[in-house]
């Protein structure tokens, strides 16, 4: 099957989506999520294999948990953000690529059509979920435990992640 070309949003399309989200009516929300999960103890060690240079870095404690659980989830989630020209920058986790980084952070690069590439670090799985919900024109953000929040609550974070400057008229409409 031939690959479909993904249309990457331009700034005006993003602004229209922001206005639509800001003005959207939010239906009744499910404020109580699932509470039946059992906790798995975090791993003591995790091996990180750099997708750029293929070198291995061994992580302990909190980073081991992040590498084991969150990083893979982020890699899967960013695949749904092609319309934003989104790619992950994991280079801080590789001791070969970034030998001087003490506290590595996952970064997200966004390339809106007609704009400069924008990079935001310290990106979470929730950030990627919020962006996916935004590009799908959802008005609700579904949290980790299936609890629901108005997506418009995340407008400032969406703008920060996208790295676009909003014109004055749009700012008035979305009230930022």
């Amino acid at each position: 099957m031939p690959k479909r070309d993904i249309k990457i949003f331009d700034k005006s399309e993003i602004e229209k989506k922001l206005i639509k989200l800001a003005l959207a009516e939010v239906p009744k929300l499910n404020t109580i999520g699932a509470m039946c999960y059992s906790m798995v103890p975090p791993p003591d060690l995790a091996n990180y294999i750099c997708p750029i240079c293929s070198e291995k870095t061994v992580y302990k404690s909190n980073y081991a948990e992040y590498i084991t659980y969150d990083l893979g989830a982020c890699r899967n989630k960013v695949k749904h953000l092609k319309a934003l020209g989104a790619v992950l920058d994991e280079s801080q986790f590789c001791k070969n690529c970034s030998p001087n980084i003490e506290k590595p952070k996952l970064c997200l690069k966004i390339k809106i059509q007609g704009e400069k590439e924008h990079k935001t670090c310290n990106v979470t799985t929730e950030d990627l979920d919020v962006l996916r919900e935004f590009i799908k024109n959802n008005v609700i953000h579904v949290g980790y435990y299936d609890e629901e929040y108005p997506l418009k609550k995340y407008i400032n974070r969406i703008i920060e992640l996208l790295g676009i400057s909003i014109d004055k008229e749009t700012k008035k409409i979305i009230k930022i």
Side-chain angles (χ1 to χ4, degrees):
M1 181 184 292
K3 260 187 161 177
R4 290 188 309 158
D5 288 332
I6 302 289
K7 182 189 179 307
I8 297 179
F9 291 118
D10 64 26
K11 183 178 174 181
S12 68
E13 291 168 311
I14 296 291
E15 285 186 334
K16 287 175 189 169
K17 287 176 140 328
L18 287 167
I19 291 169
K20 183 178 178 181
L21 176 60
L23 300 175
E25 292 291 323
V26 179
K28 184 168 173 38
L29 300 173
N30 176 18
T31 56
I32 300 174
M35 297 187 294
C36 56
Y37 297 105
S38 61
M39 299 300 288
V40 175
D44 294 329
L45 294 173
N47 293 323
Y48 172 78
I49 307 296
C50 179
I52 304 299
C53 71
S54 301
E55 289 293 319
K56 178 170 88 171
T57 303
V58 178
Y59 280 96
K60 298 178 183 176
S61 67
N62 291 345
Y63 286 110
E65 184 174 1
Y66 183 84
I67 297 295
T68 302
Y69 302 118
D70 294 352
L71 185 58
C74 288
R75 286 174 175 166
N76 287 328
K77 291 173 187 289
V78 80
K79 292 175 187 176
H80 300 285
L81 301 176
K82 293 192 185 317
L84 298 172
V87 293
L88 291 179
D89 178 352
E90 304 174 19
S91 61
Q92 292 186 27
F93 288 94
C94 178
K95 289 294 181 192
N96 185 54
C97 293
S98 302
N100 299 323
I101 299 290
E102 295 285 325
K103 295 180 179 180
K105 294 175 177 42
L106 183 63
C107 300
L108 178 68
K109 293 180 181 178
I110 297 285
K111 180 66 174 102
I112 303 296
Q113 184 181 341
E115 301 289 310
K116 292 187 323 185
E117 183 177 79
H118 175 72
K119 182 175 171 179
T120 306
C121 293
N122 215 13
V123 173
T124 66
T125 56
E126 182 178 45
D127 289 333
L128 301 177
D129 287 338
V130 164
L131 285 176
R132 182 176 186 196
E133 291 159 343
F134 173 69
I135 63 174
K136 290 176 72 179
N137 294 317
N138 292 3
V139 296
I140 295 172
H141 167 60
V142 179
Y144 185 73
Y145 295 106
D146 295 329
E147 71 282 15
E148 297 175 336
Y149 304 96
L151 188 59
K152 65 174 79 179
K153 171 182 167 189
Y154 299 88
I155 283 181
N156 287 333
R157 182 63 174 160
I158 291 168
I159 292 168
E160 179 184 355
L161 291 166
L162 297 178
I164 58 173
S165 57
I166 305 299
D167 68 39
K168 288 179 184 177
E169 193 59 35
T170 302
K171 282 183 182 180
K172 273 194 240 175
I173 294 169
I174 60 177
K175 297 178 180 156
I176 58 167

